[in-house]
Amino acid sequence: MTLDARLAYARRMDRADGLAHHRKRFQGADGDVVYFDGNSLGRPPVSAIERMQRFMAHDWGGRLIRGWDEAWLQLPTEIGDRIGRSVIGATAGQTVIGDSTTVLLYKLARAAVDAQLARDPRRREIVVDTDNFPTDRYVLEGIAAERSMRLRWIRTDPTGGVTSEQLAAAAGPDTALVVVSHVAYRSAYLADAVELTRIAHDAGALILWDLCHSAGSVPVRADLWGFDLAVGCTYKYLNGGPGSPAFAYVREDLHDVLRQPIQGWFGTDDQFEMGPAYRPVRGIRRFLSGTSPILAMLPMEETLDMIEDAGMDAIRAKSIALTTFAIELAEEWLAPLGVRLASPADPDERGGHVTLHHDAMREVTARLWQRDVIPDYRDPGGLRIGLSPLSTSFEEVHRGLDATRTCLREVLAERAGLG
Ligand SMILES: *Cc1c(COP(=O)(O)O)cnc(C)c1O
């Protein structure tokens, strides 16, 4: 197809898009910037700006310390329950907003391996893959050192992810815990959550799902799929803002079995009695530690309004249409220049972003940023295009891929000139 026919197609898709009206609810989405990094830091919802001002003036400014009793103490579980209901398929009382993803990973993974070691001291292995997100790997290395355990590495293909066969071969009577990302941050590979959970359980292991790249982009059914534990970011597809706190899911029957390692006063049953000893409160609150970052929890509620309005199934359908369109343009325009797809071609195996490989992509990314086209770059040679379904249009995808072609041609021409 010619460029014009592709553009006409993009505009037709935008007109037919049932979620298109959400786009103008994001700050800057009507401007000239092509934003391909909503999977790293989502755009701010316009209503969050007002909400923050109102909160500063009336809630904080007017209610002062009374705000804690009147509303704020309940926010971590209130917003947690909304994420549970609307985003990750968890019934109430199992999801809470806590610390960063890194800290929540530590708390849940440490609690899980301690419970497993108490039950069976031979379970001294934690299974994780070599291409899992760095912080996940580092946290688990630390826990293994603290508890004299071993990491059992699954070697993943960086253009794919953890398969059932690989997990079945790695998990066994030595396994305490398995940690997997639902959507791989590099390739967007979508793991078979039902099957991997079943394999971990058959081996007698617990499984902790990292939902950072799926929450708000791919539907999750934590209860139905039998998850034990999960964590996820809120500043990616949930548009919570830089550093907004993460969520943790702990299946109800594990609450009493797990003892989390950062025991603080926000997780006790007598918080304001200032008692002599730590006594964990019943339920999901026991996974809290210290004072909750209330300001940083507000913007994500505006996105949750939109997700509840749109529904995760419609969001996923648009996500697939966006990534499919990006791949079609890449095949037509970029493959002849030597670019290859470093994400699964099958949409059922792909999350919300697309990674395109070429050894010139670092330079291409720098040029794109200068032109207000904002993807990101991941070694080796990966241009990562994150397509946030509520705030991205098909025309934006068209403009971004067109600019990528231009920049790649420039870089290749300069290289040829040098040679
Ligand atoms: C973004 C991301 C994180 C980030 O953890 P932070 O503690 O928020 O820095 C962790 N895991 C995965 C899979 C991610 O994509």
Side-chain angles (χ1 to χ4, degrees):
M1 257 193 267
T2 63
L3 191 148
D4 279 346
R6 285 297 191 184
L7 187 57
Y9 172 81
R11 289 182 175 159
R12 248 191 343 268
M13 290 295 282
D14 282 329
R15 278 195 302 275
D17 173 15
L19 304 184
H21 62 287
H22 288 290
R23 188 166 144 81
K24 57 179 180 302
R25 298 170 73 178
F26 291 92
Q27 180 68 25
D30 53 359
D32 291 333
V33 173
V34 170
Y35 196 50
F36 281 168
D37 227 341
N39 61 328
S40 267
L41 177 66
R43 288 182 184 270
V46 175
S47 59
I49 299 169
E50 247 167 68
R51 171 93 193 267
M52 295 301 275
Q53 279 172 340
R54 223 171 37 241
F55 183 89
M56 304 280 279
H58 299 288
D59 299 68
W60 178 9
R63 301 314 297 160
L64 296 165
I65 195 77
R66 294 170 291 188
W68 282 108
D69 284 331
E70 290 167 1
W72 307 335
L73 282 174
Q74 298 315 316
L75 263 192
T77 45
E78 255 173 48
I79 302 178
D81 282 343
R82 282 187 82 181
I83 290 178
R85 188 172 60 240
S86 311
V87 182
I88 65 162
T91 52
Q94 304 177 99
T95 313
V96 71
I97 303 288
D99 319 274
S100 67
T101 296
T102 302
V103 172
L104 289 178
L105 268 166
Y106 175 75
K107 286 161 53 165
L108 298 194
R110 244 293 295 273
V113 299
D114 285 353
Q116 288 282 61
L117 287 172
R119 194 168 64 84
D120 179 357
R122 286 167 311 174
R123 292 193 179 267
R124 306 210 72 84
E125 285 189 355
I126 303 172
V127 173
V128 61
D129 68 290
T130 49
D131 206 37
N132 207 334
F133 194 83
T135 216
D136 301 53
R137 291 182 278 111
Y138 304 158
V139 160
L140 297 175
E141 272 179 44
I143 291 174
E146 277 177 351
R147 286 297 187 248
S148 305
M149 297 176 79
R150 289 179 302 273
L151 295 186
R152 170 92 180 240
W153 293 103
I154 291 177
R155 296 208 174 276
T156 29
D157 169 0
T159 67
V162 179
T163 64
S164 313
E165 296 72 33
Q166 285 176 313
L167 184 60
D174 296 335
T175 313
L177 176 69
V178 176
V179 180
V180 193
S181 286
H182 187 212
V183 172
Y185 80 101
R186 199 193 306 270
S187 67
Y189 178 84
L190 178 60
D192 185 340
V194 175
E195 189 60 9
L196 297 190
T197 299
R198 189 189 60 72
I199 292 167
H201 289 170
D202 283 353
L206 291 170
I207 188 162
L208 196 176
W209 283 97
D210 186 329
L211 305 177
C212 282
H213 267 87
S214 45
S217 138
V218 179
V220 176
R221 315 246 31 113
D223 289 346
L224 188 68
W225 297 347
F227 284 10
D228 300 307
L229 306 161
V231 295
C233 286
T234 61
Y235 51 81
K236 293 173 177 165
Y237 295 103
L238 299 181
N239 309 73
S244 63
F247 64 84
Y249 164 90
V250 181
R251 203 183 58 230
E252 196 158 28
D253 60 288
L254 290 171
H255 293 177
D256 288 341
V257 181
L258 300 185
R259 187 161 179 118
Q260 67 109 331
I262 307 180
Q263 43 184 59
W265 70 316
F266 264 61
T268 57
D269 66 352
D270 57 351
Q271 186 177 359
F272 293 100
E273 281 164 33
M274 313 285 182
Y278 171 77
R279 277 208 323 269
V281 66
R282 289 196 73 89
I284 190 71
R285 290 191 78 88
R286 66 172 49 196
F287 298 95
L288 294 179
S289 295
T291 305
S292 304
I294 299 300
L295 279 175
M297 287 185 192
L298 304 177
M300 69 180 83
E301 286 212 276
E302 306 303 307
T303 311
L304 289 171
D305 285 344
M306 288 186 252
I307 290 177
E308 283 163 8
D309 186 31
M312 277 309 305
D313 290 337
I315 288 172
R316 171 67 171 156
K318 180 171 175 187
S319 168
I320 289 176
L322 286 168
T323 54
T324 301
F325 185 46
I327 290 171
E328 281 167 13
L329 294 180
E331 271 166 11
E332 190 171 319
W333 296 346
L334 305 179
L337 302 174
V339 172
R340 67 176 172 74
L341 182 64
S343 293
D346 178 353
D348 291 337
E349 289 182 3
R350 187 173 70 230
H353 62 277
V354 171
T355 301
L356 301 173
H357 179 273
H358 192 291
D359 68 6
M361 284 308 190
R362 188 191 288 281
E363 295 145 272
V364 170
T365 305
R367 276 172 196 257
L368 285 170
W369 279 47
Q370 282 172 6
R371 292 175 193 225
D372 276 349
V373 175
I374 320 285
D376 68 18
Y377 175 79
R378 289 286 179 270
D379 259 336
L383 182 80
R384 205 176 60 156
I385 297 176
L387 302 170
S388 196
L390 291 172
S391 61
T392 307
S393 70
F394 290 87
E395 190 169 341
E396 197 176 3
V397 173
H398 183 280
R399 269 196 287 149
L401 270 294
D402 189 27
T404 305
R405 172 170 59 170
T406 304
C407 291
L408 180 56
R409 277 185 180 154
E410 286 172 9
V411 172
L412 295 179
E414 272 177 28
R415 283 185 179 182
L418 289 175

